[in-house]
Amino acid sequence: DTHQWVAPTSTDVRSPCPGLNTLANHGYLPRDGRNISVPMILDAALEAFNVDPDGLVVAAKFGLLSGNAPTTLDLDALALHSLIEHDASLSRGDFALGDNLRFNETFFMTLANANPGADNYNTTSAGQVMHDRLAISLATNPSITNTPKEFALRTIESSLYLSVMGNPLTGIAPKEFVQIFFREERMPIEEGWTRPTTSITRATLNALGAVIAANANWTATQECEPLVLGP
Ligand code: HEM
Ligand code: MG
């Protein structure tokens, strides 16, 4: 089957994004991680995860700025700090602390251990995890960047893992699925996961994001320019 999970080889490149890496590991994106266009990303995310293009097109276009090719990107280039990549990630270290690209279980522990006693993560736990990951970065990284831009990205990323691994309307996602998605960058099909039947759109992501953001109890430590990302 062409969408079997295969671990990346030593010459394949991967990104700081578990979503794009999972798509490449299953062959929805080129397995080498290179020369990927915006339509390739949008088609892959729709086919594999039922994410509507309207939820990803801005991020995908933004990603093109990570390299010099006019219409394609390479996954590893997405580690470019402060393009999309930001501090206080769920599963990677901060740029100034060393490796902002590869999965790291130490940083992932906050999310892994969230919502104790339950089998699921939800919008409450996701907000708490965002708060706790930021507190760790503020305490350990003197070079942290924490403006409304980073908070907006972090919020939509939390909406995304709850949506693609769980229910895009309730934001409830089985812990086992979320952990496999981050740790192995694999679709947990053998474990019982199926493609969401609800279309994941900009609207559903923002609806979950509003609840997650409220639970993150966030304050800016720096400001940024207004972000104009479309009409
Ligand atoms: C980070 C999910 C599409 C670029 C993340 C994170 C999640 C996620 C959960 C947070 C990782 C962490 O905090 O450790 C997804 C899903 C997608 C998707 C499910 C689609 C199915 C995209 C697209 C782009 C993108 C289209 C741009 C081309 C990134 C980058 C990061 C990231 C650069 C790193 C941010 C950071 O944590 O520093 N994504 N994403 N993603 N995503 Fe995606
Ligand atoms: Mg990061």
Side-chain angles (χ1 to χ4, degrees):
D1 149 32
T2 56
H3 292 306
Q4 202 84 317
W5 182 88
V6 180
T9 69
S10 62
T11 54
D12 295 340
V13 293
R14 291 294 180 263
S15 74
C17 173
L20 296 175
N21 293 353
T22 300
L23 293 172
N25 290 344
H26 283 274
Y28 290 96
L29 288 175
R31 292 182 183 271
D32 70 359
R34 296 175 213 269
N35 304 311
I36 296 172
S37 69
V38 169
M40 287 162 74
I41 292 173
L42 300 182
D43 290 350
L46 178 63
E47 189 182 354
F49 289 133
N50 204 7
V51 183
D52 189 279
D54 85 346
L56 293 179
V57 65
V58 170
K61 288 199 283 189
F62 221 162
L64 292 178
L65 297 175
S66 62
N68 295 322
T71 62
T72 62
L73 60 85
D74 293 347
L75 291 181
D76 55 343
L78 290 173
L80 182 62
H81 186 50
S82 287
L83 182 68
I84 299 171
E85 198 283 317
H86 52 74
D87 295 324
S89 296
L90 301 167
S91 66
R92 271 76 171 161
D94 288 1
F95 173 69
L97 301 182
D99 185 355
N100 66 344
L101 172 62
R102 269 164 282 269
F103 175 82
N104 184 319
E105 184 70 33
T106 301
F107 299 108
F108 183 62
M109 213 139 45
T110 304
L111 171 50
N113 294 335
N115 209 19
D119 293 333
N120 303 301
Y121 300 122
N122 56 40
T123 51
T124 307
S125 70
Q128 288 167 347
V129 169
M130 285 182 64
H131 176 273
D132 293 351
R133 283 292 301 125
L134 180 61
I136 292 169
S137 284
L138 287 169
T140 56
N141 180 5
S143 302
I144 186 172
T145 303
N146 173 41
T147 78
K149 177 194 172 189
E150 285 73 34
F151 184 65
L153 287 164
R154 294 170 59 228
T155 302
I156 191 150
E157 289 159 11
S158 291
S159 296
L160 275 166
Y161 78 75
L162 292 176
S163 297
V164 299
M165 287 296 117
N167 184 316
L169 299 179
T170 64
I172 295 173
K175 287 183 175 178
E176 185 186 19
F177 297 173
V178 171
Q179 291 176 13
I180 290 168
F181 171 75
F182 275 95
R183 289 188 174 126
E184 302 177 43
E185 300 183 331
R186 173 166 75 77
M187 300 160 88
I189 295 163
E190 299 97 277
E191 290 79 7
W193 174 88
T194 54
R195 177 180 182 266
T197 53
T198 304
S199 172
I200 298 165
T201 63
R202 204 212 293 228
T204 70
L205 291 169
N206 285 343
L208 291 187
V211 184
I212 295 167
N215 285 303
N217 199 11
W218 179 77
T219 48
T221 49
Q222 292 137 338
E223 290 306 322
C224 62
E225 296 283 323
L227 290 168
V228 180
L229 300 171

